[in-house]
Amino acid sequence: MSLNLSMKSKEEETQIIIHHWIRILNIKFGWINGFDKFVANYVMIFASNVFMLDNFCSSFKLLNTFNGHTNWVYSIDCSTFDGDQFICSGSYDRTVCVWNVENNKQIQLSSYHLSAVTCVKFSQYHYHNHHQNVICSSSCDKIIRFLDIKHNRKLQILNGHSSSVYGIKFSSFHCGRYLCSGSLDNTIRLWDVKTSKSLHVFNGHKDT
């Protein structure tokens, strides 16, 4: 009821404003005689959307807090494996953390990098081709590493950038076989995850 009254008052207020424009500016609507109704309806729709958005936002609530890092968290990713949901994160503290979302347990804390971990991704290639839960991480140590979560085992290393690697992305085709990485050396590299080889180096970025 209060919403209807509010929307009605908004419509009346809009009508007053429109008539004020007509009087002051001597506007003749001509072929847009329904302009006042159009604006009033727009205000009603806007008010309704704001109300729904407010209800939607008010339904947000904090479900969980995952603690484990001792410094800034740079990157997060999530995945489902064998029915379980996982979250991984990379931090300035040089570690990669993995949590089981269902029970809020930290199942992995790896410190294989020598500098800040800038980006983490669950490896689509290892999931689709080997049914392994593997995390790929990039770092300021210029190295891209792969870690088998279940067995806490280091897999391949991609080494080719001459400066910090800040972004990694698996291909959406060929089951994630290809990986792109972006670095402070102003290059983007295309890798074949299967062979661990760098296929191409894209140059073109410049310092700004």
Side-chain angles (χ1 to χ4, degrees):
M1 177 65 74
S2 60
L3 176 62
N4 291 334
L5 290 175
S6 175
M7 291 173 64
K8 187 175 181 180
S9 63
K10 284 288 184 182
E11 182 179 0
E12 292 173 349
E13 182 181 350
T14 303
Q15 292 286 357
I16 294 173
I17 294 172
I18 292 173
H19 288 305
H20 179 72
W21 286 346
I22 295 172
R23 186 174 66 253
I24 298 298
L25 301 176
N26 195 25
I27 296 175
K28 294 183 179 180
F29 286 114
W31 61 277
I32 51 173
N33 281 325
F35 178 73
D36 54 342
K37 293 181 180 179
F38 170 78
V39 175
N41 287 335
Y42 175 80
V43 171
M44 291 175 66
I45 292 172
F46 175 77
S48 176
N49 286 342
V50 168
F51 174 75
M52 288 187 291
L53 179 62
D54 183 62
N55 276 355
F56 180 70
C57 291
S58 64
S59 67
F60 287 170
K61 62 179 181 180
L62 178 65
L63 297 178
N64 225 329
T65 301
F66 300 93
N67 296 295
H69 289 294
T70 59
N71 215 314
W72 305 326
V73 176
Y74 277 133
S75 177
I76 57 173
D77 196 17
C78 56
S79 179
T80 300
F81 188 80
D82 286 344
D84 291 323
Q85 294 179 324
F86 298 94
I87 288 178
C88 68
S89 57
S91 169
Y92 187 79
D93 64 11
R94 301 183 297 177
T95 66
V96 174
C97 286
V98 186
W99 289 272
N100 186 312
V101 177
E102 300 298 326
N103 55 30
N104 195 29
K105 287 186 177 180
Q106 184 184 96
I107 61 174
Q108 189 65 259
L109 175 62
S110 304
S111 54
Y112 294 128
H113 284 288
L114 301 178
S115 190
V117 179
T118 56
C119 190
V120 289
K121 298 285 185 183
F122 283 97
S123 173
Q124 300 173 31
Y125 172 78
H126 291 86
Y127 174 80
H128 289 296
N129 294 281
H130 304 291
H131 196 66
Q132 291 177 308
N133 201 6
V134 172
I135 291 177
C136 176
S137 58
S138 63
S139 170
C140 290
D141 64 10
K142 304 179 285 188
I143 306 296
I144 300 171
R145 297 180 181 273
F146 289 81
L147 172 69
D148 184 339
I149 299 173
K150 184 176 181 179
H151 302 99
N152 191 23
R153 182 166 56 97
K154 290 187 290 184
L155 302 179
Q156 67 258 53
I157 291 176
L158 305 182
N159 188 0
H161 286 290
S162 59
S163 188
S164 303
V165 183
Y166 269 91
I168 50 177
K169 177 72 174 179
F170 284 93
S171 64
S172 57
F173 49 89
H174 290 302
C175 298
R177 175 173 173 173
Y178 303 103
L179 180 76
C180 279
S181 59
S183 168
L184 286 184
D185 62 13
N186 299 334
T187 67
I188 297 172
R189 283 183 177 265
L190 177 63
W191 305 86
D192 185 340
V193 179
K194 182 178 180 179
T195 63
S196 300
K197 291 183 178 180
S198 177
L199 301 178
H200 192 76
V201 179
F202 299 91
N203 296 285
H205 290 289
K206 297 180 180 179
D207 290 329
T208 55

